[in-house]
Amino acid sequence: EVHLVESGGALVQPGGCLRLSCAASGFTFSVYTMSWVRRAPGKGLEWVSYIGSASGDIKYADSVKGRFTISRDNAKNTLYLQMNSLRDEDTAIYYCARERGGYYFDGWGQGTLVTVSS
Amino acid sequence: EIVLTQSPATLSLSPGERATLSCRASQSVSNSLAWYQQKPGQAPRLLIYDASNRATGIPARFSGSGSGTDFTLTISSLEPEDFAVYYCQQRSNWLFGQGTQLEIK
């Protein structure tokens, strides 16, 4: 069974930084592509970033490009999201998700809340 | 960029009724379309992938259809636990639709 647990969410000031983690278990983490998806208050789901199984392929949404960095440690079964230069509009629940079929997400964590506010 | 438009924004129905949710793509996505359900305080849950394949553990009352630009999620007979927000999602940039709120009438 896919088990994903995010951590690292917090209240941070605009311009600040934060690193999210996602601990994976119940499946062979190293062979799966992974993504971060967020949901801002009162809004819908927004894909944020993608990473290939061996970290060779990485993509970002335009809204976070140049500010966020996705990475993974397959030895530790952990996915990361380094978030720099945070803005008010980055306030959201951040989910890590396991990808299948090249696009859909068949496993999700419970989410971690990031609040950007002064 | 391919845009997904979901309709209606809000759907008010009673338990036992049939729900029909629509997702339209601005250009063809072939059959690369997924549907998710999200309840308050919970993570999204995959319902349908590749337009019409039910995900593991999803009840048979959920079905998906369509290809190209027009897709439909049908819930044949609503159960109380089905009232939630539903999103469609396609392959290009993992883009989601804006969601349909399915509420109790």
Side-chain angles (χ1 to χ4, degrees), chain A residues 72-113:
Chain A
R72 63 191 296 163
D73 185 335
N74 286 342
K76 295 183 177 179
N77 292 335
T78 304
L79 177 71
Y80 302 101
L81 186 68
Q82 177 66 42
M83 310 165 68
N84 296 335
S85 302
L86 283 161
R87 305 168 180 169
D88 291 350
E89 56 265 34
D90 295 319
T91 294
I93 298 173
Y94 285 75
Y95 301 97
C96 64
R98 186 179 83 168
E99 186 194 86
R100 298 291 301 278
Y103 73 100
Y104 60 87
F105 304 114
D106 72 337
W108 298 70
Q110 85 290 347
T112 188
L113 177 62

Side-chain angles (χ1 to χ4, degrees), chain A:
Chain A
E1 182 187 351
V2 178
H3 194 52
L4 299 168
V5 179
E6 302 93 338
S7 61
L11 171 63
V12 61
Q13 292 189 337
C17 60
L18 212 54
R19 188 174 88 153
L20 306 183
S21 299
C22 170
S25 60
F27 65 103
T28 306
F29 178 73
S30 62
V31 305
Y32 284 90
T33 55
M34 300 290 295
S35 277
W36 288 95
V37 178
R38 68 186 181 185
R39 185 176 182 187
K43 298 201 171 181
L45 297 171
E46 179 189 17
W47 168 78
V48 172
S49 183
Y50 157 95
I51 187 167
S53 59
S55 304
D57 190 16
I58 287 176
K59 294 182 171 62
Y60 299 98
D62 288 344
S63 57
V64 306
K65 200 173 294 182
R67 300 187 299 121
F68 290 11
T69 302
I70 192 172
S71 62
R72 63 191 296 163
D73 185 335
N74 286 342
K76 295 183 177 179
N77 292 335
T78 304
L79 177 71
Y80 302 101
L81 186 68
Q82 177 66 42
M83 310 165 68
N84 296 335
S85 302
L86 283 161
R87 305 168 180 169
D88 291 350
E89 56 265 34
D90 295 319
T91 294
I93 298 173
Y94 285 75
Y95 301 97
C96 64
R98 186 179 83 168
E99 186 194 86
R100 298 291 301 278
Y103 73 100
Y104 60 87
F105 304 114
D106 72 337
W108 298 70
Q110 85 290 347
T112 188
L113 177 62
V114 172
T115 302
V116 184
S117 175
S118 54

Side-chain angles (χ1 to χ4, degrees), chain B residues 33-83:
Chain B
L33 190 104
W35 290 93
Y36 301 85
Q37 176 194 67
Q38 188 173 29
K39 299 178 183 179
Q42 296 186 19
R45 177 174 72 147
L46 176 68
L47 301 174
I48 302 287
Y49 65 93
D50 293 344
S52 60
N53 295 307
R54 265 191 307 276
T56 303
I58 300 304
R61 64 180 181 274
F62 291 91
S63 64
S65 63
S67 67
T69 60
D70 289 299
F71 300 87
T72 301
L73 174 70
T74 301
I75 310 171
S76 59
S77 179
L78 285 165
E79 297 288 341
E81 62 267 26
D82 297 336
F83 293 91

